[in-house]
Amino acid sequence: MFTIGDFARYGRVSPRMLRHYDAIGLLRPDRTDPATGYRFYGAAQLARLNRIIALKDLGFTLQQVGAVLDEQVGPEELRGMLRLRRAELAEAAASARLAQVEARLRSIESEGHMPADDVVIKTVPAVRVAELTGTAASYEPHHIGPVIGPLYEELLPLLEGAGLRPTGPGIARYEDAPGGCGAIVVHAGVTVTAPVGPVGGTGVSVVELPPFEAATVVHRGAMDDVLPTAQTLGRWLDANGYRSTGYTREVSLECPPDRGQWVTELQEPVAKA
């Protein structure tokens, strides 16, 4: 079972949105603790969440989404709906929305097809990274992407200007922003051997990340398409008696110009449930 926070991370939605879906009967938690009111979700519920978000992003109202889901809509039917609305979604102002729908549909189509034996439990060693930090409004893809991309574009020239050379892969990591408002602190970093501390007046900081126990899986392709891989990892944890203890770290193993050829290791901090 997932806490509402963990389930929100795997679904790339906000806990606030899940609470709303519960309140209107669109997606009820598997279990609610009678003493604390805490909500718990099962891995199988990711399938319904994916359909809710895909339909909502296609322009359906939540009332219409509920009606469609009651009819047990499948991936092919969702594809048909997307084709019918592609013309309006493909306009320049809606291109990001179209990409989100495509990514969610790929996640739906991959349900039950990704090999779970690709998940490996290992101890990730300590690593030193030089990083820039920004804040995203939420962990949802349309908020993370516009923050982390510019951070990396700014980071590498700053390191070069400071005479620092990366000695290993890029490492992106996330944490909740202070205040519990749902915002996410985004850290865009690369591995270095420089001393810990600020790098001149660049805004870059070198930090030492401690070792941790992780469930890892390799994602092949653009990070816009990471949702199926991330959800496979979440389902594996649920099925094998582990629980997440934080946000997934993204380690860039190969980053050729063609983003579709990227290779990224997802490292989920875990503990035994």
Side-chain angles (χ1 to χ4, degrees):
M1 300 290 284
F2 299 130
T3 65
I4 189 171
D6 289 342
F7 189 73
R9 286 201 297 271
Y10 292 125
R12 296 299 198 271
V13 297
S14 68
R16 180 180 179 182
M17 186 179 293
L18 291 176
R19 293 187 188 97
H20 179 59
Y21 292 163
D22 180 15
I24 64 176
L26 193 57
L27 180 60
R28 301 283 196 189
D30 261 359
R31 182 171 68 86
T32 301
D33 189 293
T36 64
Y38 290 165
R39 297 169 172 85
F40 295 92
Y41 294 81
Q45 292 183 283
L46 287 168
R48 183 174 178 89
L49 177 62
N50 287 333
R51 285 160 173 77
I52 291 170
I53 302 302
L55 290 166
K56 183 171 72 73
D57 285 345
L58 282 170
F60 289 87
T61 67
L62 292 181
Q63 183 177 7
Q64 292 170 328
V65 168
V68 171
L69 291 180
D70 288 343
E71 297 176 4
Q72 302 295 313
V73 62
E76 284 306 312
E77 290 86 352
L78 286 173
R79 274 283 172 199
M81 294 175 187
L82 176 59
R83 283 192 291 269
L84 289 174
R85 296 186 180 233
R86 184 179 296 275
E88 63 181 82
L89 290 175
E91 297 174 2
S95 59
R97 181 179 166 199
L98 177 61
Q100 292 169 37
V101 175
E102 290 279 10
R104 192 67 63 167
L105 289 180
R106 282 191 289 271
S107 185
I108 292 170
E109 291 166 341
S110 71
E111 289 168 4
H113 298 300
M114 293 191 68
D117 56 1
D118 287 346
V119 177
V120 175
I121 297 290
K122 67 182 182 182
T123 299
V124 175
V127 63
R128 191 167 293 187
V129 297
E131 61 183 26
L132 282 175
T133 300
T135 302
S138 78
Y139 197 49
E140 295 175 58
H142 65 282
H143 286 147
I144 295 294
V147 174
I148 197 166
L151 285 176
Y152 270 114
E153 290 173 4
E154 186 180 358
L155 174 64
L156 298 179
L158 287 174
L159 291 180
E160 184 177 356
L164 291 181
R165 295 177 60 86
T167 57
I171 297 177
R173 60 191 185 93
Y174 309 92
E175 59 185 330
D176 292 324
C181 59
I184 299 296
V185 178
V186 179
H187 301 272
V190 294
T191 308
V192 295
T193 56
V196 171
V199 179
T202 62
V204 177
S205 294
V206 175
V207 299
E208 183 91 12
L209 303 180
F212 66 99
E213 194 78 1
T216 66
V217 67
V218 173
H219 170 68
R220 302 181 186 278
M223 290 305 290
D224 290 341
D225 298 327
V226 75
L227 190 63
T229 309
Q231 292 190 355
T232 291
L233 186 54
R235 291 186 178 96
W236 187 94
L237 296 182
D238 188 58
N240 289 273
Y242 285 88
R243 61 178 178 84
S244 172
T245 60
Y247 285 92
T248 304
R249 186 183 293 181
E250 300 161 358
V251 180
S252 302
L253 303 179
E254 297 178 23
C255 297
D258 180 0
R259 291 172 177 259
Q261 300 301 312
W262 282 12
V263 179
T264 307
E265 184 177 68
L266 305 184
Q267 299 176 342
E268 181 98 1
V270 296
K272 269 294 187 179

